[in-house]
Amino acid sequence: MSAATTRSRTPDRLCAEAVDLARAAAEEAAAPGIVGEHVGLVSEGDRVVTHFFACRELGYRGWRWAVTVARASRAKIVTVDEAVLLPGPDAVLAPEWVPWSERLRPGDMGPGDLLPTDAEDLRLEPGWTGEDEPPPNSVVSDEMAALAEAEDAEVTAGPLAAPARGSIAAVAEELGVRRARVLSRYGLHIAADRWEEAFGPKTPMAQAAPAACVSCGFLLRIGGSLGQAFGVCANEFSPADGRVVSLAYGCGGHSEAAVMPRPPQPAPPVIDETRVDPFPLRPASDSGSVPVTADEDTEELGHS
């Protein structure tokens, strides 16, 4: 260990004795009665010492007033460097700041809240590319067509006999409706009424939404006749995540709500202090209400 390091860790005697000077600086920076007892000191370097005083301010439990004093080489006068309020080892501190995008949890969104989506959100992809080739996840793409053909080949090549082509059973199996019973018109209507009441356009969330679900990228379409009016929400931050929603429903988590609303602009100041209005020292000759006329008699007497 070098001599300089040894000196820096040993508090300077004159700086360590300047407790009253440090307390006066702390009381000048703080409100009256806030600076408490002297709780210690630490050497910051050669002839530089920081004194700590307890803080009696409500809400700052464990904080300390830190006053750094120093003196020049071979000088006997100690001066104040700075006085600040610092947290101590047992201080009550605010939790670490976390961005809102990481604090948000499903169910936190309420009516009127707006959740902008990133342009590069991994949960979304372009609905169309402008090319003739369909997207990879499209039902008419080459990959999906080949997969469908492979699945059909496996089914038809099995040991079980397939229904005769053209029969009602074969058509029903191809359409996916080979069930004993299906929903009646009455069942469809009461289901639509329930979904419309829970996640419809008349709810407070939909009334304050920036747009409807029909234009949202998180909406999953459903088949059947109800697909013309309903879909399934797939936004995890939406209150309707995993629920059947009306196409006229909406919330602040719309996929295209990428622009936050502008803050309200303050009214212009009544007095404009940024502009200078010129004021002449002498009024103009034609600024009065009486016109200027030349009078020979008054000119001789010295009047204008």
Side-chain angles (χ1 to χ4, degrees):
M1 183 178 296
S2 61
T5 305
T6 305
R7 289 196 306 270
S8 63
R9 292 190 175 184
T10 302
D12 181 75
R13 182 180 61 84
L14 295 179
C15 292
E17 294 175 355
V19 178
D20 296 338
L21 176 64
R23 176 180 294 276
E27 292 177 349
E28 184 179 355
I34 299 301
V35 181
E37 64 278 4
H38 186 264
V39 294
L41 56 89
V42 64
S43 176
E44 305 288 356
D46 292 341
R47 297 176 300 278
V48 180
V49 174
T50 298
H51 293 269
F52 296 101
F53 300 90
C55 179
R56 297 177 180 175
E57 180 73 22
L58 297 178
Y60 286 86
R61 186 181 65 187
W63 288 63
R64 303 176 301 180
W65 284 99
V67 181
T68 303
V69 296
R71 68 180 182 90
S73 178
R74 298 183 180 181
K76 296 182 179 180
I77 299 176
V78 180
T79 57
V80 176
D81 188 5
E82 62 178 354
V84 294
L85 183 62
L86 298 178
D90 300 330
V92 178
L93 302 176
E96 185 179 357
W97 183 81
V98 181
W100 67 267
S101 58
E102 300 179 9
R103 297 195 307 267
L104 189 65
R105 292 294 180 268
D108 292 346
M109 188 181 304
D113 295 339
L114 185 64
L115 177 61
T117 55
D118 191 2
E120 303 297 333
D121 197 326
L122 298 179
R123 300 174 298 171
L124 300 171
E125 64 179 4
W128 63 88
T129 59
E131 301 177 356
D132 297 336
E133 195 70 20
N137 59 349
S138 176
V139 294
V140 296
S141 63
D142 295 338
E143 293 83 355
M144 296 298 293
L147 181 60
E149 292 179 0
E151 292 180 352
D152 291 342
E154 292 177 0
V155 172
T156 55
L160 298 178
R165 182 175 295 276
S167 63
I168 296 178
V171 175
E173 186 172 355
E174 290 180 5
L175 297 178
V177 293
R178 193 177 181 182
R179 293 172 293 171
R181 292 190 296 177
V182 295
L183 275 176
S184 63
R185 182 174 296 273
Y186 173 74
L188 293 175
H189 284 178
I190 60 176
D193 292 340
R194 291 196 310 269
W195 300 340
E196 189 83 11
E197 182 179 358
F199 298 99
K202 296 182 180 180
T203 58
M205 181 70 72
Q207 293 292 331
C213 293
V214 66
S215 60
C216 182
F218 293 107
L219 180 73
L220 296 178
R221 293 286 189 173
I222 60 176
S225 58
L226 292 181
Q228 301 177 4
F230 296 95
V232 178
C233 178
N235 188 354
E236 60 178 329
F237 298 110
S238 172
D241 180 34
R243 306 292 186 89
V244 178
V245 297
S246 171
L247 298 183
Y249 179 75
C251 68
H254 195 278
S255 62
E256 307 309 319
V259 181
M260 294 293 293
R262 295 183 178 180
Q265 297 293 333
V270 179
I271 301 177
D272 189 2
E273 299 180 352
T274 62
R275 185 178 61 182
V276 178
D277 296 330
F279 290 95
L281 297 178
R282 297 181 180 179
S285 58
D286 56 349
S287 61
S289 59
V290 179
V292 179
T293 58
D295 191 354
E296 297 180 356
D297 298 335
T298 56
E299 288 180 357
E300 294 179 358
L301 299 176
H303 297 284
S304 57

